[in-house]
Amino acid sequence: MKNKYGGPLRKLVSDGYHLKIHVDMSDTQAFQSDVIAYPAITVISRVPSGPTRIARQPVISKASLEGLAQELTAADHVCNEKVRLAIGVAKSSEPWLLSGANQLELIRRLEDQFPTLEEAGCKVGIGVATGADRAFIADDARLDVEADRKLPLIRTRDIASGEVQWLGKAIINPFNEDGSLVNLSHYPKLNRYLEARKAVIMGRHCAQRNPRNWYRTIDRITPSLSFRPKLLVPDIKGDSHVVYEDGQYYPHHNLYYIVSDEWDLRSLQAVLLSSLSRAFVSTYSTKMRGGFLRFQAQYLRRIRLPEWRSLSVPMRQELADAAVSRDIPACNRAVGKLYGLCPADMSILHNAASA
């Protein structure tokens, strides 16, 4: 319904079908065992498009579900607290946005007023995947390779406190700065280290597909990224967890990173810590058990951001101060001023953050 890979299927539905009914089962005990990602019930018909009937978190009882089914399938329906109507949910390959009407209206308004995060000069990326972490990652002191063939690695557990507290892991770097693989004959220590773990490394699909490059990580490593200040965002979190890293570490694949030549990263951190950013992510992200969201690159790129040059000096300082102190209410107040949000808008964002 929301992920990028579902776009072609959503377009098929939009072009030739009608999304008649959507029942959101988030936080609903629909199965006898716990699940991480919740189901949804959808009814799609080959009929002309029209309103979608939406219900949320039904009570799991025979009587309640029978009553809900009757309301969802009745010939005529008037919106009530159990079932509401939404127009234009299925639009080409776009994600199906099923949030509350007020939240969706606010998000659409901000999308019309401001450029995207990347249009405003910020780049979103993801850390390195190796396909064989036990071979490529170890304690820095135990990686007996040439000094320029390893990089200090930062992972989710290194930023759990909200600040960087490096736990000492490092990653093998088999790449030159231009993206080519190093010649192992020029690095005897690296060669010896990798050969000792060749069976594990060769077990990966990417190594079997291209045996000549068997010692590459799945993702290319660009060493200069280590030395660039960045914001780090874990994939799955209940709230925005955005940590400033001053340019010492390379991110692991369960972390997304944001860099910018335009925005001051501390000021940007305040925006990303605010309820506004969480509202954007919650609108587009799948909701997981416990209210957790996926803070993936595809959703972070949906966040809207003013141009840095449009901010006054006091506004820039207020944002940065709020981020450094990790004062979320102060971040929200500053962001409210930055986006020109009224009290009603701030109430919508507060409700979205606490949902």
Side-chain angles (χ1 to χ4, degrees):
M1 294 187 294
K2 293 185 175 182
N3 278 332
K4 185 177 180 180
Y5 64 76
L9 180 55
R10 290 193 296 271
K11 187 174 189 308
L12 177 71
V13 173
S14 173
D15 289 348
Y17 300 84
H18 172 216
L19 176 60
K20 291 181 66 175
I21 295 171
H22 170 82
V23 183
D24 181 358
M25 304 289 282
S26 297
D27 296 311
T28 302
Q29 194 66 31
F31 303 109
Q32 291 181 329
S33 59
D34 289 335
V35 296
I36 295 174
Y38 292 102
I41 299 169
T42 58
V43 177
I44 300 170
S45 299
R46 192 191 292 275
V47 296
S49 61
T52 300
R53 298 184 184 188
I54 299 174
R56 299 183 183 281
Q57 302 174 334
V59 175
I60 305 299
S61 72
K62 185 173 186 294
S64 173
L65 294 175
E66 284 180 344
L68 179 59
Q70 289 175 4
E71 288 197 52
L72 288 169
T73 58
D76 297 312
H77 174 73
V78 178
C79 284
N80 56 47
E81 61 180 19
K82 288 186 178 180
V83 179
R84 69 178 181 87
L85 299 181
I87 306 295
V89 172
K91 291 183 178 179
S92 189
S93 61
E94 287 294 301
W96 292 352
L97 302 186
L98 300 152
S99 305
N102 291 337
Q103 179 181 337
L104 190 54
E105 181 182 345
L106 175 58
I107 293 297
R108 289 302 194 206
R109 194 174 82 226
L110 293 171
E111 288 178 337
D112 288 340
Q113 291 179 331
F114 299 99
T116 65
L117 192 74
E118 294 197 323
E119 288 170 345
C122 306
K123 179 187 175 184
V124 183
I126 188 169
V128 59
T130 70
D133 282 358
R134 62 187 172 127
F136 286 99
I137 297 171
D139 292 335
D140 186 37
R142 288 176 48 212
L143 278 175
D144 185 21
V145 299
E146 289 78 6
D148 64 339
R149 291 301 97 208
K150 60 181 178 178
L151 294 166
L153 184 73
I154 194 159
R155 303 165 299 158
T156 298
R157 66 192 69 180
D158 297 300
I159 62 170
S161 68
E163 302 293 338
V164 174
Q165 295 179 334
W166 185 51
L167 298 177
K169 296 294 183 184
I171 186 169
I172 293 291
N173 174 26
F175 293 93
N176 295 305
E177 186 67 43
D178 64 4
S180 62
L181 285 169
V182 299
N183 187 331
L184 291 180
S185 66
H186 297 164
Y187 293 93
K189 287 186 176 182
L190 176 64
N191 187 34
R192 185 165 56 249
Y193 181 93
L194 292 173
E195 285 288 345
R197 295 156 180 81
K198 189 169 184 177
V200 173
I201 296 172
M202 282 297 299
R204 304 172 303 156
H205 175 69
C206 63
Q208 294 172 12
R209 191 179 65 233
N210 192 351
R212 290 184 61 188
N213 294 338
W214 65 274
Y215 56 96
R216 66 162 291 148
T217 50
I218 291 176
D219 298 321
R220 172 188 166 184
I221 292 176
T222 305
S224 57
L225 176 61
S226 292
F227 312 111
R228 189 169 184 184
K230 60 191 83 69
L231 298 177
L232 300 170
V233 186
D235 181 353
I236 302 177
K237 278 289 179 180
D239 295 307
S240 302
H241 188 81
V242 183
V243 177
Y244 175 78
E245 194 275 294
D246 61 4
Q248 300 183 55
Y249 307 100
Y250 205 90
H252 195 214
H253 70 86
N254 53 7
L255 287 174
Y256 294 91
Y257 66 85
I258 302 171
V259 294
S260 181
D261 291 326
E262 301 288 333
W263 265 76
D264 168 70
L265 289 182
R266 283 298 194 180
S267 300
L268 178 60
Q269 184 184 17
V271 176
L272 296 177
L273 285 169
S274 72
S275 297
L276 180 140
S277 291
R278 191 186 190 283
F280 267 98
V281 173
S282 69
T283 296
Y284 287 99
S285 168
T286 300
K287 194 172 184 181
M288 315 297 282
R289 186 172 68 190
F292 284 72
L293 300 172
R294 304 296 304 272
F295 285 81
Q296 295 176 316
Q298 60 179 309
Y299 307 133
L300 294 171
R301 292 185 181 114
R302 294 274 184 176
I303 296 170
R304 299 298 164 136
L305 190 67
E307 299 282 354
W308 175 248
R309 63 177 177 269
S310 71
L311 276 65
S312 67
V313 172
M315 181 80 264
R316 295 175 180 183
Q317 192 62 50
E318 183 178 352
L319 288 165
D321 289 345
V324 170
S325 62
R326 297 193 68 80
D327 184 339
I328 303 304
C331 290
N332 285 332
R333 289 193 296 272
V335 167
K337 296 177 190 176
L338 175 63
Y339 288 81
L341 302 177
C342 67
D345 294 332
M346 297 302 294
S347 177
I348 292 169
L349 294 180
H350 174 75
N351 291 338
S354 58

